Amino acid sequence: MNPVKYAGREARQKLGFAHANRFLFWRRVSQFAVLAMFLSGPWFGFWILKGNYSGSVLFDLIPFSDPLISAESLATGYLPEAKVLLGALLVVFIYALLGGRLFCAWVCPLNLVTDCAAWLRRKLGIRQSAKLPRNLRYMLLLVILLGSAVSGMLLWEWLNPVAALGRALIYGFGATAWLVAAVFLFDLLVTEHGWCGHICPMGACYALIGAKGLLHIKVTDRAKCDNCMDCYHVCPEPQVLRAPLQGKQNESLFVVSKDCINCGRCIDVCPEKVFIFKTKI
């Protein structure tokens, strides 16, 4: 088993730096490309995406809406305008088709913060963690929807670090910066992969949406695994790897758990090329 702080080093030595970080690289390209589309209007006067991560319009034509906010609105008894509902349905369709929590890994701006905390945690050798149940985020999602129904307010938007960071990156940091700092310190000092892996109700929402999608991580050959554990060290949801990698002979080689964020880091850091992206059709 490789030391946690050196996760990915063997893959970099064996396959090269670019190969051992290719999905990480393209994820960053995707995340910054989305941010650039938001900033094109304020910075250059040419609007590609107008709005923010909660709700936006592409080229003043195609709407996108956060499904959780739309669900909260419906729970309060308020029917959003048709454009908002259409945007939510479009987002749900895209992520339900592709599968997994792709938003979390490839779009969400807070992923940059949590990935940084996870990297620093490994490098500093911080291993002690508070134990939180993985299904806590689903309980929080239910509480938010029930609370919105009872209060008549969009409860999650009072304390949503994803939306807060998105607004800060587009319009400038303000009083909500403390939310982002709190998530970083929580992941660094309290619980490994704490926010994305245990708490975020948006992640829970996208997990439910993409549970039956097409795109999955697949184990090519269990016999190739040398138990270096690098994939477990870098995966924000390491429990999803156990069944396909170490399960019984008749168990599926696909990572079918709805909690997988399809980030591809397990593919990147595996020196034996055990993992690939595959459509389950």
Side-chain angles (χ1 to χ4, degrees), residues 27 101 104-105 108 110-115 134 137-138 162 183 186-187 191-204 207 236-237 239 259 261:
R27 280 172 53 220
R101 290 162 50 198
C104 303
C108 179
L110 200 62
N111 176 257
L112 295 162
V113 176
T114 57
D115 272 5
R134 291 278 177 179
R137 53 191 159 201
Y138 298 103
V162 177
V183 169
F186 179 75
D187 271 31
T191 300
E192 187 174 15
H193 304 298
W195 177 257
C196 293
H198 299 82
I199 292 179
C200 181
M202 286 182 66
E237 302 279 358
Q239 78 282 357
D259 293 332
I261 70 172

Side-chain angles (χ1 to χ4, degrees), residues 68-216:
L68 179 52
I69 293 180
S70 300
E72 285 180 89
S73 296
L74 292 172
T76 64
Y78 171 75
L79 183 64
E81 60 182 68
K83 184 171 68 173
V84 174
L85 287 176
L86 178 60
L89 289 174
L90 184 58
V91 170
V92 168
F93 173 78
I94 292 171
Y95 287 105
L97 179 65
L98 294 176
R101 290 162 50 198
L102 284 168
F103 173 86
C104 303
W106 295 81
V107 177
C108 179
L110 200 62
N111 176 257
L112 295 162
V113 176
T114 57
D115 272 5
C116 181
W119 177 85
L120 189 58
R121 187 183 179 95
R122 291 194 298 271
K123 295 304 178 183
L124 294 176
I126 302 174
R127 301 302 299 162
Q128 193 66 30
S129 288
K131 299 297 183 181
L132 295 176
R134 291 278 177 179
N135 61 355
L136 178 60
R137 53 191 159 201
Y138 298 103
M139 292 187 283
L140 287 175
L141 176 60
L142 181 60
V143 168
I144 287 167
L145 294 177
L146 291 176
S148 295
V150 172
S151 66
M153 297 185 295
L154 305 180
L155 290 185
W156 177 235
E157 299 319 300
W158 290 90
L159 193 68
N160 183 352
V162 177
L165 179 57
R167 288 192 297 269
L169 291 172
I170 298 169
Y171 303 112
F173 282 88
T176 55
W178 70 270
L179 283 171
V180 179
V183 169
F184 175 80
L185 292 174
F186 179 75
D187 271 31
L188 178 64
L189 301 175
V190 180
T191 300
E192 187 174 15
H193 304 298
W195 177 257
C196 293
H198 299 82
I199 292 179
C200 181
M202 286 182 66
C205 184
Y206 279 106
L208 295 174
I209 290 170
K212 301 297 182 181
L214 296 176
L215 190 64
H216 296 271

Side-chain angles (χ1 to χ4, degrees), residues 11 15 19-25 263-270:
L15 305 174
H19 191 280
N21 290 278
R22 62 197 189 283
F23 285 109
L24 178 61
F25 170 79
C263 65
R265 283 301 282 155
C266 57
I267 304 176
D268 281 347
V269 303
C270 181

